[in-house]
Amino acid sequence: MTLQTELLFDPLFLTPFLTGLPYALLLPLLGAYLRLKDEWLAALALAQTAAAGALVVLALAWPPAVGGLLGALVAAAGKHGAEGLAPALRGAAYALLLLFGWGVAVLLVANLPVAERLGHALLDGQLYFTGTAELLTALAVLAVAILGVAFLSRALLTAHFFPDHFRARGRSASRAHLLFDLLVAAALGFATMSVGVMAAFALVFVPPFLAFHRAGSWRRGLVYAMGCGLGGYVAAFALALLLDQPFGAVLSLVLAALALLGVLRASAGRSGA
Amino acid sequence: MSGAQAPSLAPDAVLGGGALLRGDALVAGYDRPVVGPVSFTVAAGEVVGMAGPNGCGKSTLLRALVGAARLFGGRLERAPGLAVSIQNQQQPPLDGVPLTGRELLALTGASPSGLPPWLEHRLDERLDRLSGGQRQYLSLWASLGSDAALVILDEPTNNLDPAGVAHLAEALRTQAAAGRAFLVVSHDADFLACACQRRVAVVPRTGDGA
């Protein structure tokens, strides 16, 4: 393993770096609401199903991003349909969705030569193949999703902390939940195409996990999560380039290490108190 | 009390006799009837208590009033355009969620003004770092401070100390005087006697055909 410091400043890697930045900010933001709703496992199922969708449409010679988006939206529809189930059954539904997406993706990679390269990119998280189109898509997804979260945040929080609030007024929170699910599906569908399955999931899961432990308020928690996602992403991008390793795996390890440090720090704080 | 607010969402009209909500021989439950028949009316400016032994279905009846449980019989009338707020006995888990008391109140548009002094200075702390009684009071205050013309409270004195119970009773009386209506279920007879103008007895349903 050799350090390739000159790659850090290679213009070739600037566009991939910029492409990942919006997702590094956005996925932790969405992850905070998914964590609140105890639906973080659904994010992994959506990312995996997006990857499967991208590989399926590759066989039809369609653009993978279309398949990724369709796969995530189909998974979101399944997730929304499972919302009437008991919490334990909902978790099982997400797990089954995840297994289904993973199984389809691996079989396509194994049996379809055209899917092999994209399949490895999605599973390894090879951000370096992204270009200007992906960058513009990422910026548009970030803008739409930030506006969407700003619009839906109060309804999502109110529905969580006052479950009968909307019903008591003859209204329903299901429209807000559905819009949020569509937002998450679209963001994860596009993000998975750029950063890969596990990197997208790591950005959804770890920063909010740390933020919920550390932040003093909801607003500060969102900022903390986005900062954590951004810091982890920049560190992982540099490390992956320097060490010539797959980006998705490095990002997952960097964020997992951050989570471990956060847990150890919290444990030390409790035992010292 | 400075935090007492008149409801900003008054109903478009009231029912006969000035009632906002009227239940006539209501029978409620989930899979099967568990409570009723119960009859009552609540008018603007009234605090109506519901009392009965544990397990007689008081909470189920309240949830049926907002459509969260099923009505098997009777007639429920609601003033057109009536905005209702309900405070359930079971609260969603707050542990591990970085939400402050001030942020919780903001969700229903409640003002912190008028909160008891022992809560005012803790508004910017995370809810999961407060005591059960402090969380309960903030959650109640969020309902009391909403724009609803009718507030339904299920066992509001749970976890509250005597100072909290007294503050709550005073808040209900003051807000009722400003025109808001309350329907309150409680096992605390002293609280109901202190806070309510009228009481309705809820008795356990005996036998399936009762």
Side-chain angles (χ1 to χ4, degrees), chain A residues 27-237:
Chain A
L27 296 182
L29 176 70
L30 297 175
Y33 291 86
L34 287 168
R35 185 166 192 82
L36 175 78
K37 286 152 59 79
D38 204 17
E39 291 179 350
W40 51 268
L41 182 60
L44 182 54
L46 288 174
Q48 189 65 64
T49 318
L55 294 170
V56 167
V57 300
L58 208 59
L60 306 171
W62 289 11
V66 173
L69 184 61
L70 286 177
L73 288 175
V74 166
K79 173 188 171 299
H80 198 71
E83 270 177 10
L85 302 174
L89 286 177
R90 268 204 318 263
Y94 303 152
L96 291 175
L97 208 55
L98 164 63
L99 291 173
F100 176 78
W102 179 78
V104 168
V106 170
L107 284 178
L108 284 169
V109 170
N111 293 288
L112 208 63
V114 70
E116 191 176 350
R117 182 171 170 271
L118 178 64
H120 285 301
L122 292 173
L123 298 177
D124 294 350
Q126 292 292 10
L127 180 61
Y128 318 117
F129 299 125
T130 57
T132 308
E134 285 81 5
L135 171 58
L136 294 175
T137 302
L139 289 171
V141 169
L142 176 69
V144 170
I146 293 274
L147 289 174
V149 168
F151 176 69
L152 295 172
S153 178
R154 185 170 175 178
L156 294 173
L157 291 169
T158 305
H160 181 79
F161 292 107
F162 302 99
D164 287 330
H165 176 87
F166 292 102
R167 199 198 310 259
R169 288 152 187 262
R171 285 153 45 197
S172 167
S174 64
R175 194 176 67 118
H177 288 299
L178 177 63
L179 287 173
F180 179 72
D181 284 349
L182 291 175
L183 209 58
V184 170
L188 270 168
F190 285 119
T192 302
M193 294 304 102
S194 291
V195 301
V197 173
M198 290 313 288
F201 173 65
L203 283 167
V204 165
F205 177 72
V206 175
F209 170 77
L210 287 167
F212 274 41
H213 273 84
R214 302 281 305 165
S217 70
W218 182 256
R219 191 178 292 264
R220 285 201 290 273
L222 297 183
V223 173
Y224 189 108
M226 292 168 85
C228 180
L230 187 64
Y233 170 78
V234 173
F237 193 92

Side-chain angles (χ1 to χ4, degrees), chain A residues 164 168-169 212 215 217-218, chain B residues 63 78 88 98 103 107 126 147:
Chain A
D164 287 330
R169 288 152 187 262
F212 274 41
S217 70
W218 182 256
Chain B
R63 299 205 76 216
R78 196 168 154 157
N88 290 320
E103 287 172 326
L107 292 177
R126 283 172 61 135
D147 55 7

Side-chain angles (χ1 to χ4, degrees), chain A residues 2 4 7-8 13 128 236-245:
Chain A
T2 54
Q4 304 182 54
L7 290 179
L8 282 178
F13 293 107
Y128 318 117
F237 193 92
L239 275 174
L241 270 185
L242 287 171
L243 304 174
D244 191 22
Q245 296 299 312

